[in-house]
Each structure stands twice: as C-alpha cells, then as structure tokens.
Amino acid sequence: DLLKFEELLFAIIREFEMKMPFHQFRLKGLMLELLACLLRETQLEEKLREPGHLPLLLEIQHYLNLHAGRELTLMELSGQFHMNKHYLIGLFKQAFQITPMQYHQQMRLDRAKNLLRHTRMTMQQIADSLGYPSIHGFSRAFKNKEGVSPSAYRAILAEGRK
C-alpha cells in the first residue's frame, strides 16, 4: 500500500526533525511499523501466483472490514469487485489462507468479542449492531466459533476481572 508507506515515511521524517521528548521510542515504533508493512506486502505478493493482485485484495479486505457491521453475500462481493465468485474465493484464499466470507465472519465475531468485553450493550444490541438477523443467529454463530455463548463469554471475562 503505497499511501500507507508514504504516510509512515513522512511521519518518521517529522518525528526525526521535531525531536520531541522520547522521540527515539516513537522513531523505533514507526520504523518497526514500516518494516512490518514492507514484509507483509512482500510476503503477500510471494503467495500470489498471479502478481499484481495485491492492491485489489487489500481493497477487498478493506471493504469486508468496512462492512463488518452487516451480513454480506458472496454475490454482493463479487459484483462489487466485478469478479467471478470462484476466482475471488481462490485469489483471496491464496493470499490470506481464508475465504472472504470466513474473513468477514471472523471480523464480525472479533467485533462482538470487543463489544462484549468493553461495553454493557445487551446481546440484542450487539446482534443488531453487527447485522445479525436475530439474537439466536448471533448466539449460534458466536458459539460455533468460540465454543461458548456470548453471555457465557462475557461472564468468563467478568470472572477474570475479579
């Protein structure tokens, strides 16, 4: 992602020039972030059999992240990016070792875990905010992935804080 690389590079330059207190720590952090960005892109490009698809895959991943608050279909995703759904699945899985729909589901459940951990929202509110058609659908998806119901997950977290 050229924009991310450019932002990091300019942040490093600004930090170096300003020399604010503890700038060395900030510089080291920014340099590590830049290195991680470069390594990630290199690794992803190497995984792809057809070079040049990385920007598209990152755009698809970004789209999935933006729409983690609702259900998304493979047809919608393939239509959005004007790709055959089977080709889209193969390309995405080749890069990220997971299908786009599995990735989307994981993003939704990660957000659910954060909401359970950091808010007092009800299960219904969480299900609604993540676009699940019902609290039962949300609970079933959560339990299938995490092994416990959302309310049990929250209870376990509360017990751990005591």
Side-chain angles (χ1 to χ4, degrees), residues 45-58:
E45 278 289 356
E46 287 173 0
K47 285 183 181 179
L48 297 174
R49 282 180 236 131
E50 301 174 43
H53 287 297
L54 185 59
L56 174 64
L57 286 166
L58 293 174

Side-chain angles (χ1 to χ4, degrees), residues 18-57:
M18 291 176 62
K19 296 206 185 331
M20 301 278 290
F22 305 106
H23 72 279
Q24 301 94 332
F25 298 117
R26 177 95 168 109
L27 278 171
K28 287 177 185 177
L30 288 167
M31 291 297 285
L32 286 172
E33 192 174 343
L34 182 67
L35 179 61
C37 181
L38 291 171
L39 289 173
R40 240 183 226 153
E41 285 214 20
T42 303
Q43 185 223 12
L44 285 174
E45 278 289 356
E46 287 173 0
K47 285 183 181 179
L48 297 174
R49 282 180 236 131
E50 301 174 43
H53 287 297
L54 185 59
L56 174 64
L57 286 166

Side-chain angles (χ1 to χ4, degrees), residues 48-148:
L48 297 174
R49 282 180 236 131
E50 301 174 43
H53 287 297
L54 185 59
L56 174 64
L57 286 166
L58 293 174
E59 189 178 338
I60 293 168
Q61 187 182 42
H62 181 69
Y63 184 86
L64 291 169
N65 291 339
L66 282 177
H67 294 89
R70 67 179 184 87
E71 280 194 41
L72 194 64
T73 66
L74 187 56
M75 286 296 271
E76 178 185 344
L77 191 61
S78 63
Q80 177 70 28
F81 291 96
H82 312 290
M83 295 177 77
N84 174 286
K85 63 183 179 181
H86 300 291
Y87 183 71
L88 173 64
I89 291 169
L91 200 58
F92 197 91
K93 192 168 185 174
Q94 185 182 8
F96 301 113
Q97 286 72 55
I98 190 170
T99 70
M101 295 295 91
Q102 289 169 332
Y103 178 85
H104 185 251
Q105 182 69 7
Q106 185 60 51
M107 291 302 304
R108 293 171 83 195
L109 292 175
D110 286 347
R111 287 191 183 180
K113 288 194 301 190
N114 282 329
L115 292 171
L116 289 166
R117 182 179 295 123
H118 300 294
T119 73
R120 295 185 188 273
M121 291 172 71
T122 66
M123 297 305 151
Q124 184 65 57
Q125 289 170 324
I126 292 172
D128 290 344
S129 74
L130 295 172
Y132 284 92
S134 71
I135 190 170
H136 304 293
F138 165 61
S139 280
R140 190 172 32 256
F142 193 93
K143 188 171 184 173
N144 285 342
K145 187 67 177 169
E146 298 301 320
V148 294

Side-chain angles (χ1 to χ4, degrees), residues 2-33:
L2 190 57
L3 184 59
K4 176 77 171 167
F5 179 81
E6 186 178 308
E7 287 173 4
L8 284 169
L9 202 52
F10 283 124
I12 290 168
I13 292 167
R14 273 192 311 277
E15 193 67 38
F16 182 77
E17 289 174 345
M18 291 176 62
K19 296 206 185 331
M20 301 278 290
F22 305 106
H23 72 279
Q24 301 94 332
F25 298 117
R26 177 95 168 109
L27 278 171
K28 287 177 185 177
L30 288 167
M31 291 297 285
L32 286 172
E33 192 174 343

